[in-house]
Amino acid sequence: MVLLGGFFWSIGWAAAATVQSIDVKNGGAQVVIQGDAPLSFTQQDLAGERQLIVEIDNATLGPMASRPLDTSSFDSPLSLVTPSSEGGRTKVVLQMREEASAVVRGDGNTVVVEVARAGAPRADSCHGDPRDAAFV
Protein backbone atom coordinates (compact mmCIF):
# COMPACT_ATOMS: atom_id res chain seq x y z
CA MET A 1 0.00 0.00 0.00
CA VAL A 2 1.09 3.53 -0.71
CA LEU A 3 0.08 6.66 1.20
CA LEU A 4 -0.63 9.42 -1.32
CA GLY A 5 -2.37 12.64 -0.33
CA GLY A 6 -3.84 11.01 2.76
CA PHE A 7 -5.30 8.06 0.80
CA PHE A 8 -4.01 4.52 0.69
CA TRP A 9 -3.63 2.98 -2.72
CA SER A 10 -3.05 -0.69 -3.16
CA ILE A 11 -0.57 -1.44 -5.91
CA GLY A 12 -0.45 -5.00 -7.13
CA TRP A 13 1.07 -6.96 -9.95
CA ALA A 14 -0.27 -10.15 -11.38
CA ALA A 15 1.93 -13.02 -10.32
CA ALA A 16 3.91 -14.45 -13.20
CA ALA A 17 3.24 -18.04 -14.11
CA THR A 18 5.97 -20.57 -14.78
CA VAL A 19 5.47 -23.04 -17.60
CA GLN A 20 6.51 -26.22 -15.80
CA SER A 21 6.30 -28.70 -18.67
CA ILE A 22 5.57 -29.06 -22.36
CA ASP A 23 4.69 -32.61 -23.35
CA VAL A 24 3.85 -34.27 -26.65
CA LYS A 25 1.24 -37.00 -26.25
CA ASN A 26 -0.83 -39.38 -28.34
CA GLY A 27 1.89 -39.95 -30.92
CA GLY A 28 2.29 -36.25 -31.66
CA ALA A 29 -1.42 -35.50 -31.90
CA GLN A 30 -1.48 -33.46 -28.69
CA VAL A 31 0.80 -30.87 -27.09
CA VAL A 32 0.14 -30.12 -23.41
CA ILE A 33 1.56 -26.94 -21.86
CA GLN A 34 1.33 -27.02 -18.07
CA GLY A 35 1.81 -23.99 -15.82
CA ASP A 36 1.92 -23.46 -12.08
CA ALA A 37 -0.79 -20.77 -12.34
CA PRO A 38 -3.55 -19.96 -14.84
CA LEU A 39 -2.18 -19.36 -18.33
CA SER A 40 -3.45 -16.53 -20.52
CA PHE A 41 -2.57 -17.14 -24.15
CA THR A 42 -3.03 -16.00 -27.72
CA GLN A 43 -2.31 -17.90 -30.89
CA GLN A 44 -0.93 -16.92 -34.24
CA ASP A 45 -1.35 -19.11 -37.30
CA LEU A 46 1.39 -18.86 -39.93
CA ALA A 47 -0.15 -21.16 -42.54
CA GLY A 48 2.42 -20.31 -45.21
CA GLU A 49 5.19 -21.44 -42.88
CA ARG A 50 3.10 -24.29 -41.40
CA GLN A 51 3.52 -22.93 -37.89
CA LEU A 52 1.23 -22.37 -34.95
CA ILE A 53 2.58 -20.01 -32.31
CA VAL A 54 1.09 -20.06 -28.81
CA GLU A 55 2.10 -16.96 -26.83
CA ILE A 56 1.59 -17.06 -23.08
CA ASP A 57 1.46 -13.68 -21.35
CA ASN A 58 3.23 -13.03 -18.07
CA ALA A 59 4.99 -16.41 -18.04
CA THR A 60 8.52 -17.77 -17.96
CA LEU A 61 9.86 -21.20 -18.84
CA GLY A 62 10.85 -23.59 -16.09
CA PRO A 63 13.89 -25.84 -16.59
CA MET A 64 11.79 -28.86 -17.64
CA ALA A 65 9.94 -26.82 -20.30
CA SER A 66 12.83 -25.07 -22.02
CA ARG A 67 14.02 -27.80 -24.37
CA PRO A 68 12.88 -28.26 -27.99
CA LEU A 69 10.89 -31.43 -28.71
CA ASP A 70 11.72 -33.20 -31.97
CA THR A 71 8.64 -35.15 -33.07
CA SER A 72 9.83 -35.89 -36.61
CA SER A 73 9.85 -39.66 -35.92
CA PHE A 74 6.14 -39.65 -34.98
CA ASP A 75 3.39 -40.45 -37.48
CA SER A 76 1.95 -36.97 -37.04
CA PRO A 77 1.87 -33.68 -38.96
CA LEU A 78 3.81 -32.11 -36.05
CA SER A 79 7.59 -32.14 -36.55
CA LEU A 80 9.03 -29.81 -33.88
CA VAL A 81 7.98 -27.92 -30.74
CA THR A 82 10.26 -25.00 -29.84
CA PRO A 83 9.71 -23.03 -26.62
CA SER A 84 11.32 -19.68 -25.83
CA SER A 85 10.86 -16.97 -23.24
CA GLU A 86 11.71 -13.27 -23.36
CA GLY A 87 10.49 -10.20 -21.53
CA GLY A 88 7.96 -12.03 -19.37
CA ARG A 89 6.31 -13.70 -22.34
CA THR A 90 6.64 -17.33 -23.36
CA LYS A 91 6.31 -18.48 -26.96
CA VAL A 92 5.77 -22.09 -28.05
CA VAL A 93 6.20 -22.66 -31.81
CA LEU A 94 4.66 -25.81 -33.30
CA GLN A 95 6.19 -26.60 -36.68
CA MET A 96 4.09 -28.79 -38.98
CA ARG A 97 5.63 -30.98 -41.67
CA GLU A 98 2.44 -31.17 -43.73
CA GLU A 99 -1.08 -29.81 -44.02
CA ALA A 100 -2.75 -29.93 -40.63
CA SER A 101 -5.45 -28.45 -38.47
CA ALA A 102 -5.24 -27.62 -34.79
CA VAL A 103 -7.54 -26.72 -31.93
CA VAL A 104 -6.04 -24.77 -29.02
CA ARG A 105 -7.84 -24.88 -25.68
CA GLY A 106 -7.06 -23.28 -22.36
CA ASP A 107 -8.29 -24.63 -19.06
CA GLY A 108 -6.80 -22.96 -15.99
CA ASN A 109 -3.14 -23.89 -15.67
CA THR A 110 -3.15 -25.93 -18.89
CA VAL A 111 -3.11 -25.17 -22.61
CA VAL A 112 -3.76 -28.13 -24.92
CA VAL A 113 -3.17 -28.15 -28.67
CA GLU A 114 -4.88 -30.96 -30.62
CA VAL A 115 -3.20 -31.53 -34.01
CA ALA A 116 -4.65 -33.56 -36.90
CA ARG A 117 -3.91 -34.04 -40.56
CA ALA A 118 -5.98 -31.73 -42.74
CA GLY A 119 -9.43 -33.27 -43.19
CA ALA A 120 -8.89 -35.94 -40.52
CA PRO A 121 -11.22 -36.17 -37.51
CA ARG A 122 -9.78 -34.90 -34.22
CA ALA A 123 -10.14 -36.42 -30.81
CA ASP A 124 -11.21 -33.29 -28.95
CA SER A 125 -10.51 -34.68 -25.52
CA CYS A 126 -10.07 -31.44 -23.62
CA HIS A 127 -12.48 -28.79 -22.44
CA GLY A 128 -12.29 -25.01 -22.43
CA ASP A 129 -12.07 -22.29 -25.03
CA PRO A 130 -11.42 -23.89 -28.45
CA ARG A 131 -9.59 -21.89 -31.08
CA ASP A 132 -9.24 -23.51 -34.50
CA ALA A 133 -6.24 -23.19 -36.79
CA ALA A 134 -5.64 -24.64 -40.25
CA PHE A 135 -2.29 -25.09 -42.02
CA VAL A 136 -2.29 -25.64 -45.76
Side-chain angles (χ1 to χ4, degrees):
M1 294 216 188
V2 176
L3 178 61
L4 184 63
F7 294 97
F8 282 100
W9 295 85
S10 179
I11 300 174
W13 293 269
T18 298
V19 174
Q20 296 176 316
S21 65
I22 301 172
D23 297 308
V24 177
K25 299 184 176 191
N26 299 329
Q30 188 179 69
V31 177
V32 179
I33 304 167
Q34 184 67 48
D36 66 351
L39 301 175
S40 173
F41 71 94
T42 58
Q43 72 183 61
Q44 182 180 8
D45 309 322
L46 300 177
E49 297 180 29
R50 293 189 173 147
Q51 290 182 342
L52 171 68
I53 301 172
V54 178
E55 292 189 28
I56 304 169
D57 294 325
N58 201 24
T60 59
L61 287 171
M64 298 301 292
S66 60
R67 70 195 188 291
L69 302 170
D70 181 356
T71 60
S72 61
S73 64
F74 295 171
D75 184 21
S76 161
L78 181 64
S79 64
L80 184 64
V81 178
T82 308
S84 63
S85 190
E86 185 178 327
R89 172 170 246 173
T90 292
K91 184 186 294 188
V92 180
V93 178
L94 284 72
Q95 182 68 51
M96 307 299 166
R97 81 172 101 233
E98 62 189 58
E99 291 184 27
S101 63
V103 174
V104 184
R105 300 178 190 268
D107 189 12
N109 297 6
T110 306
V111 175
V112 178
V113 183
E114 299 277 351
V115 179
R117 286 187 167 83
R122 270 190 310 265
D124 292 306
S125 60
C126 50
H127 305 287
D129 175 25
R131 301 177 195 179
D132 288 325
F135 306 92
V136 287

